[in-house]
Amino acid sequence: MYVVKSSLPQAELKTVSEALQGALVDLVDLSLVAKQIHWNVVGPRFRSIHLQLDEVVLSARTASDLVAERSSALGVPPDGRASTVASGTGINVPPAGWIKDTDAVSGMVAALGAVIGRMRERVNATGDADPVTEDMLIQITGDLEKHHWMFQAESA
């Protein structure tokens, strides 16, 4: 049942909705991974990394809401359920237990890198189909790249 009708033609809507759903899954998982590491990071740089992880969580949660609402606006119900996120994520699961600060940083570099790579693919896929969605994904990707840069600088 479609409650909201999209202004996009069906072929473009399919492309855009797949990109938005994939972005939603990655962003929800990124927020969960960052929070898991946040709770378990230990080491000499605990405090700075702990605070930096909260910034990633906030960015990912804000972006996931934007993505889900864009999907809804186009008439496609977003799916952020745990089972959907678990089966569709491109991020490696962080280890259980305490995570050394250097491992936390390298884990976030890898997680952000994975999400950014997939987001760039979505930017490319949505460009012709829906420039509004493309623009939103570009802005989200730029924010994620800022976090990626900051974590890479932590590991230098």
Side-chain angles (χ1 to χ4, degrees):
M1 170 177 79
Y2 286 97
V3 176
V4 178
K5 303 264 190 251
S6 176
S7 57
L8 294 177
Q10 192 59 39
E12 283 82 358
L13 181 60
K14 182 179 184 322
T15 298
V16 171
S17 65
E18 288 172 359
L20 288 169
Q21 181 58 42
L24 178 61
V25 164
D26 279 350
L27 291 165
V28 168
D29 197 33
L30 180 62
S31 73
L32 295 171
V33 165
K35 201 51 137 167
Q36 180 66 25
I37 294 171
H38 165 91
W39 291 322
N40 290 286
V41 65
V42 294
R45 296 181 305 164
F46 162 80
R47 182 155 174 76
S48 64
I49 294 169
H50 184 79
L51 295 173
Q52 192 175 0
L53 287 161
D54 266 342
E55 293 173 10
V56 174
V57 171
L58 179 61
S59 289
R61 287 181 178 168
T62 300
S64 67
D65 194 50
L66 290 171
V67 166
E69 289 178 356
R70 178 68 184 152
S71 185
S72 293
L74 292 174
V76 179
D79 187 354
R81 296 174 297 168
S83 60
T84 303
V85 172
S87 67
T89 187
I91 305 172
N92 290 331
V93 176
W98 304 120
I99 302 171
K100 189 174 180 212
D101 53 3
T102 54
D103 294 337
V105 168
S106 63
M108 285 307 300
V109 168
L112 285 159
V115 174
I116 290 165
R118 290 163 57 115
M119 291 296 282
R120 286 188 163 275
E121 291 171 5
R122 295 176 186 118
V123 166
N124 291 334
T126 56
D128 291 333
D130 182 27
V132 175
T133 298
E134 176 196 36
D135 184 56
M136 182 185 68
L137 295 176
I138 288 169
Q139 291 185 34
I140 292 168
T141 304
D143 189 46
L144 295 174
E145 287 177 337
K146 178 190 76 170
H147 291 298
H148 192 239
W149 156 59
M150 291 184 175
F151 274 105
Q152 286 179 356
E154 284 276 345
S155 63

